[in-house]
Amino acid sequence: MIHIIYMAAGNSRRFGSNKLFYELDGKPMYRHLLERLIEIKDRYNKLKNAESNNSVIDITVVTRYREILDYCAGIPDCHAVLSPDSEKGISYTIKAGIMAVQEQKKTGMQDYYMFAVADQPYLKSQSVIKLIDKVLENKGNMKSVFSLRCGDTVGNPCVFHSSLIPQLLSLEGDKGGRSVAKKYDCVYVDIADERELMDIDTLSDSKHTVTL
């Protein structure tokens, strides 16, 4: 199973306002990628459920904003948790997501955890699907880390095998998953458009139309 942990708890220090709620093409930034991930989850689970009752993907949203929590409450099979400590650094968001998944008792020894970020609105569905398919193809082949890449640029989402969870839970402060990923032979999924991997850090970064 692939557990998608959607990290929507950022501070937006350089943006000038809360970027997660900044409107792009008529809706808050955080909803663009989240809605695509939900569609992807439903697609995979529908296909799998035609063969068995087991789901392939679930989604857990980690946020420190009540508005995002309330939005997720209206979406079937989209679990959301509040993480006030996320203001201390990304490691707190990562750990809150992992613990929320584990508390739902949906974990297995061969599971994977995909970390996606809410300030990446230009990431296309087909790129995420390519990444998920690569993970599913490699199950049982002892590959621990998967990531998207465009040329020399590597970006989120990043996927970790469940065997690496203890290392992710040991992260502190503003250290993210990349500090764990760099220790391993990563499987890269190449995409053509570098803009998909862009994290929106400033207002000028957001001056584009979101296309799927």
Side-chain angles (χ1 to χ4, degrees):
M1 190 168 189
I2 298 175
H3 307 286
I4 298 177
I5 295 176
Y6 190 67
M7 300 189 290
N11 287 315
S12 311
R13 291 187 182 94
R14 288 190 285 165
F15 195 80
S17 61
N18 194 324
K19 63 183 176 183
L20 298 183
F21 299 109
Y22 181 79
E23 282 210 356
L24 287 172
D25 292 358
K27 58 186 172 185
M29 186 186 300
Y30 80 89
R31 282 179 46 188
H32 284 275
L33 180 54
L34 177 58
E35 290 176 2
R36 284 173 223 153
L37 293 175
I38 291 168
E39 290 175 359
I40 291 168
K41 169 187 67 71
D42 291 343
R43 166 188 162 174
Y44 277 90
N45 289 347
K46 183 178 180 180
L47 290 172
K48 184 63 177 178
N49 286 333
E51 306 168 8
S52 70
N53 291 322
N54 297 322
S55 295
V56 178
I57 296 171
D58 60 31
I59 296 177
T60 298
V61 177
V62 183
T63 186
R64 55 193 184 92
Y65 304 110
R66 176 62 62 177
E67 180 178 328
I68 296 178
L69 192 76
D70 292 343
Y71 175 77
C72 293
I75 302 172
D77 301 320
C78 181
H79 183 60
V81 294
L82 277 176
S83 175
D85 285 341
S86 289
E87 66 178 345
K88 301 175 185 177
I90 193 170
S91 67
Y92 291 87
T93 303
I94 290 171
K95 288 184 276 191
I98 293 171
M99 289 186 287
V101 169
Q102 293 179 340
E103 286 171 3
Q104 295 176 70
K105 299 181 180 178
K106 296 180 178 180
T107 59
M109 293 297 292
Q110 294 304 316
D111 287 0
Y112 287 86
Y113 290 70
M114 175 187 289
F115 294 89
V117 292
D119 59 352
Q120 209 172 20
Y122 306 120
L123 181 61
K124 297 177 182 177
S125 295
Q126 54 263 41
S127 299
V128 178
I129 290 169
K130 283 178 66 177
L131 181 61
I132 290 173
D133 285 346
K134 181 62 70 174
V135 173
L136 295 176
E137 288 168 11
N138 279 272
K139 273 199 168 184
N141 292 335
M142 302 305 293
K143 297 297 184 181
S144 298
V145 184
F146 299 78
S147 188
L148 291 178
R149 177 176 66 182
C150 182
D152 294 330
T153 301
V154 177
N156 289 309
C158 194
V159 186
F160 298 86
H161 185 263
S162 59
S163 61
L164 301 183
I165 291 305
Q167 294 187 50
L168 293 169
L169 288 174
S170 70
L171 293 171
E172 297 181 351
D174 217 24
K175 277 195 174 182
R178 290 287 165 193
S179 61
V180 175
K182 67 183 181 182
K183 301 174 184 177
Y184 296 88
D185 182 17
C186 187
V187 177
Y188 293 108
V189 174
D190 291 307
I191 59 175
D193 186 357
E194 188 173 350
R195 189 179 71 138
E196 290 188 61
L197 302 181
M198 179 190 300
D199 294 339
I200 304 301
D201 291 323
T202 65
L203 187 59
S204 61
D205 290 336
S206 66
K207 301 304 183 182
H208 302 279
T209 298
V210 177
T211 56
L212 301 181

Coordinates of all heavy atoms in Angstrom, one line a residue, residues 15 19 22-25 29 119 121-122 195 198-210:
F15 N 6.6 34.5 1.5 CA 5.5 34.8 0.5 C 4.9 36.1 0.8 O 4.4 36.8 -0.1 CB 4.5 33.6 0.6 CG 3.6 33.6 -0.6 CD1 3.9 33.1 -1.8 CD2 2.3 34.2 -0.4 CE1 3.0 33.1 -2.9 CE2 1.4 34.2 -1.5 CZ 1.8 33.7 -2.7
K19 N 0.6 31.4 1.9 CA 0.5 31.0 0.5 C -0.4 29.9 0.3 O -1.0 29.7 -0.8 CB 1.9 30.6 0.0 CG 2.5 29.4 0.7 CD 4.0 29.2 0.2 CE 4.6 28.1 1.0 NZ 6.1 27.9 0.5
Y22 N -3.6 31.3 -0.9 CA -3.5 32.3 -2.0 C -4.2 31.7 -3.2 O -4.0 30.5 -3.6 CB -2.0 32.5 -2.4 CG -1.8 33.5 -3.5 CD1 -1.9 34.9 -3.3 CD2 -1.5 33.0 -4.8 CE1 -1.8 35.8 -4.4 CE2 -1.4 33.9 -5.8 CZ -1.5 35.3 -5.6 OH -1.3 36.2 -6.7
E23 N -5.1 32.4 -3.8 CA -5.9 31.9 -4.9 C -5.1 31.8 -6.2 O -4.5 32.8 -6.7 CB -7.1 32.8 -5.1 CG -8.2 32.5 -4.1 CD -9.6 32.7 -4.6 OE1 -9.8 33.1 -5.7 OE2 -10.6 32.4 -3.8
L24 N -5.1 30.6 -6.8 CA -4.6 30.4 -8.1 C -5.7 29.8 -9.0 O -6.3 28.8 -8.6 CB -3.4 29.4 -8.1 CG -2.1 29.9 -7.6 CD1 -1.2 28.7 -7.5 CD2 -1.5 31.0 -8.5
D25 N -6.1 30.5 -10.1 CA -7.2 30.0 -10.9 C -8.4 29.7 -10.1 O -9.1 28.7 -10.3 CB -6.8 28.7 -11.7 CG -5.7 29.0 -12.7 OD1 -5.3 30.1 -12.9 OD2 -5.2 28.0 -13.4
M29 N -4.3 27.7 -3.1 CA -3.1 26.9 -3.7 C -3.1 25.4 -3.2 O -2.9 24.5 -3.9 CB -1.8 27.6 -3.3 CG -0.6 26.9 -3.9 SD 1.0 27.6 -3.3 CE 0.8 29.3 -3.8
D119 N 2.5 23.3 -1.6 CA 2.9 24.5 -2.3 C 3.5 24.1 -3.7 O 4.4 24.8 -4.2 CB 3.9 25.4 -1.5 CG 5.2 24.7 -1.1 OD1 5.2 23.4 -1.3 OD2 6.1 25.3 -0.6
P121 N 1.7 23.5 -6.8 CA 0.4 23.4 -7.6 C 0.5 23.0 -9.0 O -0.4 22.7 -9.7 CB -0.2 24.8 -7.4 CG 1.0 25.7 -7.3 CD 2.0 24.9 -6.5
Y122 N 1.8 23.1 -9.6 CA 2.0 22.8 -11.0 C 2.3 21.4 -11.3 O 2.5 21.0 -12.5 CB 3.1 23.8 -11.6 CG 2.8 25.2 -11.3 CD1 3.7 26.0 -10.5 CD2 1.6 25.8 -11.8 CE1 3.5 27.3 -10.3 CE2 1.4 27.2 -11.5 CZ 2.3 27.9 -10.7 OH 2.1 29.2 -10.5
R195 N 9.1 23.1 -14.1 CA 8.1 23.9 -13.3 C 7.2 23.1 -12.4 O 6.8 23.5 -11.4 CB 7.2 24.8 -14.3 CG 6.4 25.8 -13.5 CD 5.6 26.6 -14.5 NE 4.5 25.8 -15.0 CZ 3.2 26.3 -15.2 NH1 2.9 27.5 -14.8 NH2 2.3 25.5 -15.8
M198 N 8.5 22.9 -8.9 CA 8.7 24.2 -8.2 C 7.9 24.3 -7.0 O 6.7 24.1 -7.0 CB 8.3 25.4 -9.2 CG 8.5 26.7 -8.5 SD 7.7 28.1 -9.6 CE 8.6 27.9 -11.1
D199 N 8.6 24.6 -5.9 CA 7.8 25.0 -4.6 C 7.6 26.5 -4.7 O 8.5 27.3 -4.9 CB 8.7 24.6 -3.4 CG 8.9 23.2 -3.2 OD1 8.1 22.4 -3.8 OD2 9.9 22.8 -2.5
I200 N 6.4 26.9 -4.4 CA 6.0 28.3 -4.5 C 6.5 28.9 -3.1 O 5.9 28.7 -2.1 CB 4.5 28.5 -4.7 CG1 4.1 27.8 -5.9 CG2 4.2 30.0 -4.7 CD1 4.8 28.3 -7.2
D201 N 7.6 29.7 -3.2 CA 8.1 30.3 -2.0 C 7.9 31.8 -1.9 O 7.8 32.4 -0.9 CB 9.6 30.1 -1.9 CG 10.0 28.6 -1.7 OD1 9.2 28.0 -0.9 OD2 11.0 28.1 -2.2
T202 N 7.7 32.5 -3.1 CA 7.5 33.9 -3.2 C 6.3 34.2 -4.1 O 5.8 33.3 -4.9 CB 8.7 34.7 -3.7 OG1 8.9 34.3 -5.1 CG2 9.9 34.3 -2.9
L203 N 5.7 35.4 -3.9 CA 4.5 35.8 -4.7 C 4.8 35.7 -6.2 O 4.0 35.3 -7.0 CB 4.1 37.2 -4.3 CG 2.8 37.6 -4.9 CD1 1.6 36.7 -4.6 CD2 2.5 39.1 -4.5
S204 N 6.1 36.1 -6.6 CA 6.4 36.1 -8.1 C 6.4 34.6 -8.6 O 6.2 34.4 -9.8 CB 7.8 36.7 -8.3 OG 8.8 36.0 -7.6
D205 N 6.7 33.6 -7.8 CA 6.7 32.2 -8.2 C 5.3 31.8 -8.7 O 5.2 30.8 -9.5 CB 7.1 31.3 -7.1 CG 8.6 31.4 -6.8 OD1 9.3 31.9 -7.7 OD2 9.0 31.1 -5.7
S206 N 4.3 32.5 -8.2 CA 2.9 32.0 -8.4 C 2.2 32.7 -9.6 O 1.1 32.5 -9.9 CB 2.0 32.3 -7.2 OG 1.9 33.7 -7.0
K207 N 3.0 33.5 -10.4 CA 2.4 34.2 -11.5 C 2.3 33.4 -12.8 O 2.9 33.7 -13.8 CB 3.2 35.5 -11.8 CG 3.3 36.5 -10.6 CD 1.9 36.9 -10.1 CE 2.0 37.9 -9.0 NZ 0.6 38.3 -8.5
H208 N 1.6 32.3 -12.7 CA 1.4 31.4 -13.8 C 0.0 30.8 -13.7 O -0.6 30.8 -12.6 CB 2.4 30.2 -13.8 CG 3.8 30.6 -13.8 ND1 4.5 30.9 -14.9 CD2 4.7 30.7 -12.8 CE1 5.8 31.2 -14.6 NE2 5.9 31.1 -13.3
T209 N -0.5 30.4 -14.8 CA -1.8 29.7 -14.8 C -1.5 28.2 -14.6 O -0.6 27.6 -15.1 CB -2.5 29.9 -16.2 OG1 -2.7 31.3 -16.4 CG2 -3.8 29.1 -16.2
V210 N -2.3 27.7 -13.7 CA -2.2 26.2 -13.4 C -2.8 25.4 -14.5 O -4.0 25.6 -14.8 CB -2.8 25.9 -12.1 CG1 -2.7 24.4 -11.8 CG2 -2.2 26.7 -10.9

